[in-house]
Amino acid sequence: MARVVVVGAGVGGLATAARLAAAGHEVTVFEQADTVGGKLGRYTHDTPAGSFHFDTGPSLLTLPEVFTELFEATGAKLDEYLDLVPLDPIVRHVFPDGTTPGGGTTLDSCADPVEFTERIGAAFGERSAADWRGLWRRAGRVWETSWQHVLRRPVDSPRDLAALAWRLGDLAAIAPGRTLRGLGRRHLSDPRMRMLLDRYATYTGADPRRAPAALVAVPYAELAFGGWYLRGGLGTLADALLSRCLDLGVVVQTGTAVTRIDAAGGRVHGVRLRGIAAPVPADVVVANVDALTVYRDLLPSPGRLAGLADRSLAGFVLLLGVRGPTGLAHHNVFFPRDYDAEFDAVFGDPGRGVRARPAVDPTVFVTVADDAVVRPADHEAWFVLVNAARHGTATSAVDWRRPGLAEAYADRILDVLAERGIDVRDRLLFREIRTPADLGSATGAPGGAIYGTAGGLLRPANRAPAYGVHLVGGSTHPGGGLPMVTLSARIVADRIGPA
């Protein structure tokens, strides 16, 4: 039996803790916040009309078999803890091609590839449907290759990827060196379909003009296997994982910050806690913390920092209490007329000294759960997200704490929605603002960068340079998003092994 310390009670940390406890290890989790879940955050706002409950992080669950396997591996059944609701549409896309304010073509995605292709044909014509069929076949090859060779196994260095027994067809589909934007231009003739494909780069925090073409696997996973909502909110996943951990004997201490991982001589010895002089001994430490924070603060490793400088995008969030029904889908995306202008604003151009800034006309993502548990009758709880630069003072960041900026940008986002035909400015009970600076403070993610690094294929390895230290979570291999984070927990637990 190993003494295991898990730093951080996000989904990756809790999933790893549950697996290791089920394997016979003695596991303690330290979480700096007062609640578990990490970026799978929640917020409640009480009003005379009733309580509004918001997921402030992920709003979509994909690849449910990953979670089924996790619960079974820890001796439980997924449906004993969570109520999965399939979504159709998974996402409603509204394109800026209308001739009147607020007008535009709508395309609803779904988990039936044939049905979705028919919807594309009805919206954009048969040529667009044929284009999508061709891209879909290629996306399927990329997904199968990624699933078999990359997503469920350790990848510690470029040599690990190079050593895989790639088939020539796999390499041709993955197209090393090609961008997701380039892939869209090659396969999709309609600019609106290219826009839809580009959006999936933001799932990994990246600019589609720089993101690898292999990210075409992301829409494949979503549209082939479905998108799901958890009744009561996605935050119920954190509750379920905490329950599994406690049932398995894991000790979970919230409000407890780890300030250092002790690894003198290249081997882990334990961790240091804020305000406590005595170290906590450990044979194994699993860090469910952004890799930049690990190598900059907890386990200083200057040689590991260079590859972590290219940070992912962040998000600017509004939480809205809205009177009356609006008829929106569960997930809605309102695209701008100039998508590139948005990415120019979010990422800036440090090479030319062009600063990042809030996008004037951003893509607006609105989640409205049709769930009586999360809002009062005759009201809606809106989670509104726009892509944003991370918080900071560098050229590629925005100082989101600048007086007046957050309120002014919140006004602008509501104006943009009104321009696109969704005006709720006179129907608001309240609005709450969450900037990248707020996310950074709440979760320890530097600058509020949601995904750590900006969406490359090779992310920081799950094994640290000090023996006995492992990394888990969205900033490490195999990447961000609830399924990938959960797979990272499996990789780490398998590497540590049973007691």
Side-chain angles (χ1 to χ4, degrees), residues 115-451:
E115 170 64 21
F116 183 48
T117 304
E118 291 176 354
R119 293 179 185 182
I120 292 171
F124 303 135
E126 181 52 36
R127 180 179 177 184
S128 290
D131 289 347
W132 184 257
R133 291 188 194 98
L135 181 67
W136 186 254
R137 288 192 292 270
R138 180 167 188 159
R141 294 199 303 272
V142 175
W143 169 255
E144 290 298 330
T145 299
S146 301
W147 185 250
Q148 292 296 325
H149 297 299
V150 180
L151 299 179
R152 296 179 295 165
R153 64 173 64 188
V155 176
D156 294 334
S157 72
R159 290 190 300 273
D160 291 335
L161 283 177
L164 295 175
W166 299 106
R167 296 177 299 177
L168 290 179
D170 295 337
L171 284 173
I174 288 173
R178 180 171 290 166
T179 65
L180 189 67
R181 168 65 63 82
L183 188 70
R185 287 182 172 174
R186 180 181 179 89
H187 285 272
L188 304 173
S189 56
D190 193 299
R192 294 164 295 187
M193 291 303 298
R194 294 176 182 174
M195 188 177 287
L196 182 147
L197 181 64
D198 276 354
R199 192 179 74 85
Y200 285 96
T202 67
Y203 277 44
T204 67
D207 183 335
R209 300 170 297 186
R210 299 171 53 208
L215 291 183
V216 72
V218 178
Y220 187 88
E222 179 179 298
L223 301 176
F225 304 107
W228 308 77
Y229 171 69
L230 301 181
R231 199 174 305 281
L234 271 287
T236 57
L237 175 59
D239 295 334
L241 291 173
L242 176 62
S243 180
R244 287 305 305 138
C245 285
L246 296 178
D247 288 346
L248 291 163
V250 176
V251 176
V252 180
Q253 293 186 211
T254 57
T256 307
V258 172
T259 59
R260 189 85 167 189
I261 298 172
D262 287 337
R267 182 184 183 92
V268 72
H269 304 288
V271 300
R272 302 272 178 169
L273 305 180
R274 180 174 295 138
I276 300 177
V280 177
D283 305 304
V284 175
V285 171
V286 178
N288 182 205
V289 181
D290 192 290
L292 176 59
T293 299
V294 172
Y295 292 130
R296 185 189 62 195
D297 304 329
L298 302 184
L299 186 69
S301 307
R304 297 275 175 141
L305 294 177
L308 303 177
D310 188 13
R311 307 303 289 165
S312 84
L313 57 74
F316 186 94
V317 171
L318 298 181
L319 307 176
L320 307 179
V322 179
R323 300 183 185 89
T326 54
L328 293 181
H330 188 103
H331 294 116
N332 309 267
V333 173
F334 299 91
F335 285 111
R337 293 194 178 277
D338 189 345
Y339 213 4
D340 282 358
E342 177 180 346
F343 291 114
D344 289 343
V346 169
F347 289 98
D349 189 344
R352 295 190 295 123
V354 177
R355 296 193 62 89
R357 57 205 180 278
V360 174
D361 188 31
T363 302
V364 184
F365 177 78
V366 182
T367 298
V368 185
D370 184 15
D371 183 353
V373 175
V374 303
R375 43 71 176 166
D378 300 318
H379 293 77
E380 293 179 342
W382 282 30
F383 171 86
V384 181
L385 171 71
V386 300
N387 299 323
R390 62 189 173 90
H391 171 67
T393 57
T395 303
S396 57
V398 168
D399 180 5
W400 288 104
R401 298 209 186 281
R402 193 168 77 233
L405 176 59
E407 291 290 343
Y409 198 47
D411 291 340
R412 175 57 193 158
I413 292 168
L414 292 174
D415 290 345
V416 168
L417 279 171
E419 292 165 6
R420 297 178 193 173
I422 308 296
D423 190 352
V424 293
R425 290 172 296 188
D426 61 351
R427 297 168 57 184
L428 296 182
L429 269 70
F430 64 87
R431 77 177 189 189
E432 298 278 350
I433 301 171
R434 299 288 185 273
T435 73
D438 297 323
L439 179 65
S441 297
T443 67
I450 298 173
Y451 303 98

Side-chain angles (χ1 to χ4, degrees), residues 5 16 261 283-288 294-295 461-464 466-472 476 491-493 495-496:
V5 166
T16 308
I261 298 172
D283 305 304
V284 175
V285 171
V286 178
N288 182 205
V294 172
Y295 292 130
N462 303 112
R463 180 165 57 190
Y467 183 80
V469 180
H470 304 265
L471 277 66
V472 71
T476 65
I491 291 169
V492 168
R495 176 167 263 170
I496 294 168

